[in-house]
């Protein structure tokens, strides 16, 4: 290569290098949990949009505390509407098992379904009184025997297989729902923690990272619940359920179904 050719190549290389330095290449970033519903952002949630942490939690508490309360007896018929099987209007879908069971089999016998308090009644001593004891956002139909196995245990990973609820596990102090219900459970627990802050005669319900919590108004394990919220995003069934509760019964919403990313924004 002649001296003149070498000089031309040096000029060309310098030009290419300068161009490359001026280019900006896209970076790969983790995709955050995104909202599944935004239709209420400019109305129902307008005072919460843009907030994080304690400010977001306080705003959501104010928003969702405006609700109609129903009696514990009324919960039976409400669950027949909120948890109706999309494929069979005569049945409800049971939490923890995913079983479709006749609406008429509600009761306390083997083979029946009953009213499961996902935030266990003893974790705050609210019983079945109107308020946290009848809040449809954490009450779900469940098989009587499976409900008994869960009892008032906190939520965590691990344990032995639960008879009658394939994919669910339990040990002495915790319960792990099947994968399809993990996010539902997390968002129900965290709804309760925002809705009931101790200002309306009930205990201040809060999640923590402890298992077991016994009878104190706490529910664990928060770190696992956050994982479940990410792992199992809101389903069409869960979204419809939220809408039915809002339209027909309580007139309030579970904000973590509409905006699952708010879980990490608060906790």
């Amino acid at each position: 290569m002649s001296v003149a050719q070498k000089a031309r190549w040096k000029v060309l290389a310098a030009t290419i290098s300068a161009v490359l330095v001026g280019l900006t290449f896209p970076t790969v970033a983790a995709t955050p949990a995104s909202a599944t519903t935004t239709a209420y952002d400019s109305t129902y949630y307008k005072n919460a949009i843009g907030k994080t942490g304690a400010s977001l939690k306080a705003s959501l508490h104010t928003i969702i505390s405006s609700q109609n309360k129903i009696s514990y007896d009324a919960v039976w018929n409400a669950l027949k509407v909120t948890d109706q099987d999309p494929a069979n209007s005569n049945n409800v879908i049971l939490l923890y098992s995913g079983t479709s069971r006749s609406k008429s089999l509600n009761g306390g016998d083997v083979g029946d379904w009953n009213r499961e308090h996902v935030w266990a009644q003893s974790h705050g001593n609210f019983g079945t009184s109107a308020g946290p004891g009848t809040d449809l956002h954490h009450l779900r139909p469940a098989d009587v025997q499976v409900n008994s196995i869960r009892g008032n245990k906190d939520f965590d990973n691990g344990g032995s297989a639960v008879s009658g609820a394939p994919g669910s596990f339990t040990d002495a102090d915790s319960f792990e729902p099947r994968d399809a219900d993990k996010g539902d459970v997390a968002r129900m627990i965290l709804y309760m923690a925002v809705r009931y802050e101790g200002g309306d005669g009930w205990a201040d319900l809060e999640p923590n990272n402890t298992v077991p919590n016994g009878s104190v108004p706490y529910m664990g394990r928060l770190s696992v619940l956050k994982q479940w919220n990410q792992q199992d995003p809101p389903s069409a069934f869960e979204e419809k359920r939220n809408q039915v509760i809002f339209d027909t019964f309580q007139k309030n919403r579970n904000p973590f179904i509409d905006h699952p990313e708010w879980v990490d924004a608060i906790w």
Side-chain angles (χ1 to χ4, degrees), residues 101-177:
R101 187 165 297 173
S102 173
K103 291 177 179 179
S104 65
L105 291 175
N106 62 298
D109 296 328
V110 174
D112 287 346
W113 60 268
N114 59 6
R115 298 158 291 187
E116 157 71 330
H117 289 80
V118 178
W119 187 292
Q121 300 170 47
S122 62
H123 291 238
N125 193 32
F126 51 75
T128 60
S129 299
T134 64
D135 197 314
L136 293 172
H137 284 298
H138 85 117
L139 280 159
R140 298 286 290 268
D143 176 81
V144 167
Q145 291 177 291
V146 173
N147 194 355
S148 178
I149 292 171
R150 188 264 158 147
N152 69 345
K153 295 175 182 176
D154 293 87
F155 293 102
D156 199 359
N157 291 315
S160 302
V162 175
S163 177
S168 295
F169 301 90
T170 192
D171 57 23
D173 55 20
S174 69
F175 190 91
E176 177 186 351

Side-chain angles (χ1 to χ4, degrees), residues 185-209:
V185 165
R187 288 179 283 274
M188 285 187 280
I189 292 296
L190 298 176
Y191 160 87
M192 293 292 283
V194 171
R195 169 59 186 87
Y196 299 99
E197 293 279 57
D200 52 1
W202 304 108
D204 180 4
L205 307 183
E206 292 296 337
N208 65 11
N209 223 34

Side-chain angles (χ1 to χ4, degrees), residues 70-80 106 115 128 130 133-134:
I70 65 175
S71 70
Y72 195 49
D73 283 341
V75 169
W76 284 121
N77 287 330
L79 293 181
K80 294 176 183 179
N106 62 298
R115 298 158 291 187
T128 60
T134 64

